[in-house]
Every structure is written in structure tokens, then in C-alpha cells.
Amino acid sequence: MHDMYFRDIYSEGMTSAAVKMNPQGRVSIPAPFRHELGLTPDTDLVSYVEDGRVVFEEREHLMRRIQQTALNSRATAGSPVDELLADRRAAAARETAETES
């Protein structure tokens, strides 16, 4: 019954397979996943836990994702120099206002 439930949830357009851990704690990546992702025996994978899930990601994909996140963060955060100048201008304006009053 549980297999049917999980299959209904995860099979909507996604490759899915039941996987079982062996007594030594090893899990094989099913062939349909390896084929879909183009994984070969020499593919470097990184594994981590995210939201209670074990995730395997190609090292190159992870690096590109981190780089893109950093670029996006930098683009939306603004220039540190601009922020420093704005802070200094605000401080100078406060000092001027204090001395004039």
C-alpha cells in the first residue's frame, strides 16, 4: 500500500524507483537515474542532508549553483562601497544638523 502511495506522489513526470539500503549501509543509484542524469562511474558527487532528505549532486553542478547564488546575491545587495558612502553621507548630514541647531 505504501509503495502505491509514494509512486502516485513522486511519479508525476519524475523518474522514481524504490531503493533499499543493504546491511553495510550502501545504496545503489538506480540505472534509470544514472541514465537520465548522464552519470558515469567517474562522476564526482557530493552528498548532503537537506530538509531531512539525502541529496546527491554532481560536484560541477553544485559549484555552478554556488557561483550563481553568489553572483545573484552581489547583484541584488548593491555595492559595499556605495553602502559605505551612503552611511558616511548620512552621518555627515546628522553632524551638520546637530551643529546648526
Side-chain angles (χ1 to χ4, degrees), residues 9-88:
I9 290 175
Y10 291 107
S11 65
E12 295 178 21
M14 290 189 269
T15 303
S16 61
V19 178
K20 197 173 240 183
M21 187 182 317
N22 74 12
Q24 291 79 30
R26 296 184 182 124
V27 176
S28 295
I29 300 173
F33 295 159
R34 295 193 312 268
H35 295 301
E36 182 175 323
L37 298 171
L39 301 177
T40 60
D42 62 337
T43 302
D44 285 327
L45 298 173
V46 176
S47 61
Y48 52 93
V49 176
E50 179 180 80
D51 296 326
R53 301 175 295 134
V54 177
V55 178
F56 290 93
E57 187 170 5
E58 286 184 74
R59 182 177 302 279
E60 288 300 316
H61 182 267
L62 176 61
M63 293 304 295
R64 284 192 306 271
R65 197 163 53 80
I66 290 170
Q67 290 168 345
Q68 191 60 52
T69 299
L71 288 172
N72 292 344
S73 168
R74 194 171 78 190
T76 59
S79 166
V81 172
D82 291 340
E83 289 177 29
L84 178 61
L85 288 173
D87 287 345
R88 294 305 308 142

